[in-house]
Amino acid sequence: MQIDSGEIHVYGYVRVSSKDQNEDRQMIAMHEVGVEDRNIYLDKQSGKDFDRPQYKRLLKRLKKRDVVYIKSIDRLGRNYEEILEQWRVVTKQKGADIVVIDMPILDTRTDRNLMATFICDTVLSVLSFVAENERVNIKQRQAEGIAAAYARGVRFGRPPKPLPENFDDVYRRWMAGKITGLAAAAECGMPISSFRYRAARYETKNDP
């Protein structure tokens, strides 16, 4: 479908939560509704706040009756309040329209009567709440999964480097006060901070 914008400018806003996420799915959706590449604004950072350069550029360019496409409502924000606030900024403050590609009922261009506006705002509120609630549930499930993994003895991150073969001898001499911590670390070929950290863990591990 191609869009005849006339004096109305048509934009797309795409956001991915981190720089290693792929925006292809959202970009394809923008192309399918006819948004030109030059009018697509892309931010690759968290929706934690709205300090986003491309989103700010888009807002500055928006004029009354312009149209903004987004793939889904959670592209506008990461929680209920942010989504509703940005919807208000675009539609009320800027006087532009929003079209949510994944939810055709959320299209402020159509039927600008009171009932249509009421239905759109109600659906938006419900979906915004659902989106935020799902994010909270995901975080809770992740936290519970990590806690359960720790309980099973799973450890995350890279495993520590093996101790040097002379560590036990050096450790015992250091504990007996025969050598300094700096000398012990040098013999083990590690920084003093690393030696003290590994020594503390070694002591706990070997404590009867």
Side-chain angles (χ1 to χ4, degrees):
M1 179 178 70
Q2 295 299 317
I3 299 171
D4 181 10
S5 61
E7 293 185 357
I8 297 175
H9 293 90
V10 179
Y11 301 103
Y13 180 65
V14 172
R15 177 179 65 80
V16 289
S17 299
S18 61
K19 293 184 178 180
D20 60 350
Q21 286 189 339
N22 194 303
E23 69 276 9
D24 287 353
R25 189 168 60 90
Q26 295 180 62
M27 294 295 290
I28 291 172
M30 296 298 162
H31 294 153
E32 287 178 346
V33 296
V35 183
E36 298 179 0
D37 283 333
R38 64 181 180 177
N39 286 340
I40 297 175
Y41 290 78
L42 167 63
D43 276 315
K44 284 193 174 186
Q45 50 188 276
S46 172
K48 180 180 178 181
D49 54 50
F50 272 81
D51 185 21
R52 307 187 222 173
Q54 294 303 310
Y55 184 78
K56 287 183 174 181
R57 286 185 60 198
L58 172 59
L59 288 183
K60 286 182 179 179
R61 291 195 62 181
L62 276 181
K63 300 189 304 295
K64 189 173 183 180
R65 300 297 301 275
D66 283 347
V67 179
V68 179
Y69 278 89
I70 55 175
K71 183 73 167 63
S72 56
I73 58 169
D74 59 357
R75 298 306 86 193
L76 279 180
R78 292 293 298 272
N79 58 55
Y80 177 78
E81 289 80 9
E82 283 182 351
I83 293 173
L84 295 183
E85 173 61 16
Q86 295 310 311
W87 188 278
R88 185 195 66 79
V89 168
V90 173
T91 61
K92 303 298 194 295
Q93 185 175 315
K94 292 289 184 176
D97 285 306
I98 295 179
V99 180
V100 181
I101 297 173
D102 285 351
M103 187 63 60
I105 195 173
L106 295 180
D107 181 348
T108 62
R109 299 171 305 173
T110 58
D111 298 328
R112 290 174 174 269
N113 56 61
L114 184 60
M115 180 57 69
T117 300
F118 172 76
I119 293 173
C120 187
D121 289 347
T122 300
V123 172
L124 172 67
S125 297
V126 172
L127 292 179
S128 299
F129 175 79
V130 170
E132 179 183 7
N133 194 56
E134 178 60 18
R135 280 188 293 271
V136 171
N137 289 338
I138 289 173
K139 287 184 178 180
Q140 182 177 347
R141 289 194 294 268
Q142 289 174 337
E144 291 172 350
I146 292 173
Y150 272 120
R152 296 194 306 269
V154 176
R155 294 295 177 263
F156 298 92
R158 290 184 297 179
K161 293 181 179 179
L163 293 172
E165 293 182 0
N166 64 337
F167 187 85
D168 183 74
D169 176 65
V170 173
Y171 169 79
R172 294 183 184 282
R173 288 189 287 123
W174 172 67
M175 288 292 292
K178 296 180 180 180
I179 56 175
T180 66
L182 286 173
E187 287 190 37
C188 291
M190 61 178 63
I192 180 62
S193 59
S194 297
F195 175 79
R196 292 186 183 280
Y197 172 76
R198 300 300 294 273
R201 291 178 59 87
Y202 190 78
E203 180 178 0
T204 302
K205 180 179 179 181
N206 290 277
D207 189 19

